[in-house]
Amino acid sequence: RRAALRNELADAIASDQFALYYQPHVDLQTGAVSGCEALIRWNHPTRGLLLPAHFIPFAEQIGIITSIDDWVMRHAFAAANELAALRPGFRIYFNLSGRQAGDPKIVRAFVKAARSGVRLKNIGVEITETDAMRDVEATRQVCRALHRLNVRVAIDDFGTGYSSLSSLKRLPVDIVKIDRTFVSGVLSDPHDETIAETIIAIAERFGFDSLAEGAERPEEIEWFRNHACRFVQGYAVCHPLPLPEFKAWLSDRDPMTGI
Ligand code: C2E
Ligand code: MG
Ligand code: MG
């Protein structure tokens, strides 16, 4: 099965079977859609649409991930230019794979992209807390360089990995994404509520914005709005959509009506 999957992944890259789906980031202060996250899918020829959990960890293991990373980056850049034409300040965040987080190559790729006309003010990256903390110094240097290029950095799945606050303090990031496990518990579990409140407070003190990820219910969104969380993302706003549907969703949405 592993050998078959390896061959299928090589085919997928060669014959463009991947797709990026886009899920909005909503600014809770204004109700505006400020940006989105790009999430990879695999249109598998026989198994249908596969979520990243079914192939990204394997692709990381066998090293084929670098080709996927390049594919994601290229498509996210193209989409960012397209969306920025509709909304100038719009920012697309895409997920870095484990090995990209502390690798200076990623910085060079951004510089090259900027030279070829990609507007980096429309781009952000997401690095999971676990990847960010693997080598904090290397991550810090990459984040600093990205920052200088005007690329925003979000720490993904915050609260689920191992990090000390002194490490977080050293990372020049813009957004801390509160993991869905806490978001789904804020209304029912006092511990999750405390954790979410604490992450928001720490983010604020450190000068980062916070984003609640995976909000499925309008009441969760209300909770985060009332607790000064800056952004929200989740099914309660919109599911991840292919680019044409996402553009239609964006243009249907009145920016003044909020959520
Ligand atoms: P993530 O970056 O934390 O992305 C959020 C995940 O939560 C996505 O799952 C999204 O579809 C899902 N989600 C969003 N709102 C809700 C909600 O309200 N409820 C629930 N239950 N889920 C929600 P997805 O697309 O399956 O992605 C899973 C993970 O795969 C991502 O987690 C990210 O770590 C990784 N990933 C996704 N795209 C890429 C990529 O292009 N490259 C790499 N290296 N990793 C990727
Ligand atoms: Mg992410
Ligand atoms: Mg996440």
Side-chain angles (χ1 to χ4, degrees), residues 129 156-161 176-199 211-215 217 220 223-224:
E129 178 185 31
D156 209 347
D157 305 345
F158 191 77
T160 57
V176 170
K177 297 188 81 173
I178 306 168
D179 192 71
R180 186 168 66 82
T181 49
F182 311 120
V183 173
S184 61
V186 287
L187 299 172
S188 54
D189 181 334
H191 289 114
D192 285 343
E193 191 174 15
T194 304
I195 291 169
E197 278 171 355
T198 307
I199 296 175
L211 180 151
E213 58 175 353
R217 294 183 289 163
E220 288 164 9
W223 189 96
F224 281 96

Side-chain angles (χ1 to χ4, degrees), residues 117-148:
V118 177
R119 283 180 294 266
L120 300 185
K121 72 174 174 67
N122 299 114
I123 307 287
V125 294
E126 300 197 356
I127 303 175
T128 66
E129 178 185 31
T130 305
D131 292 336
M133 298 303 160
R134 199 166 289 129
D135 182 344
V136 180
E137 185 47 33
T139 311
R140 192 177 72 87
Q141 294 197 12
V142 167
C143 290
R144 230 180 32 193
L146 292 181
H147 233 249
R148 286 205 201 100

Side-chain angles (χ1 to χ4, degrees), residues 77-117:
F77 286 163
N81 276 2
E82 226 178 283
L83 289 167
L86 305 173
R87 292 180 181 225
F90 201 83
R91 207 182 276 265
I92 290 190
Y93 286 78
F94 63 92
N95 293 281
L96 297 192
S97 66
R99 60 182 76 189
Q100 286 178 301
D103 185 350
K105 263 198 238 133
I106 182 102
V107 179
R108 292 198 286 277
F110 277 106
V111 170
K112 203 169 145 209
R115 287 201 191 113
S116 70

Side-chain angles (χ1 to χ4, degrees), residues 33 79-90 119 122 243-252:
V33 182
N81 276 2
E82 226 178 283
L83 289 167
L86 305 173
R87 292 180 181 225
F90 201 83
R119 283 180 294 266
N122 299 114
L243 189 59
E245 282 91 329
F246 182 68
K247 281 164 79 176
W249 180 88
L250 260 184
S251 63
D252 279 354

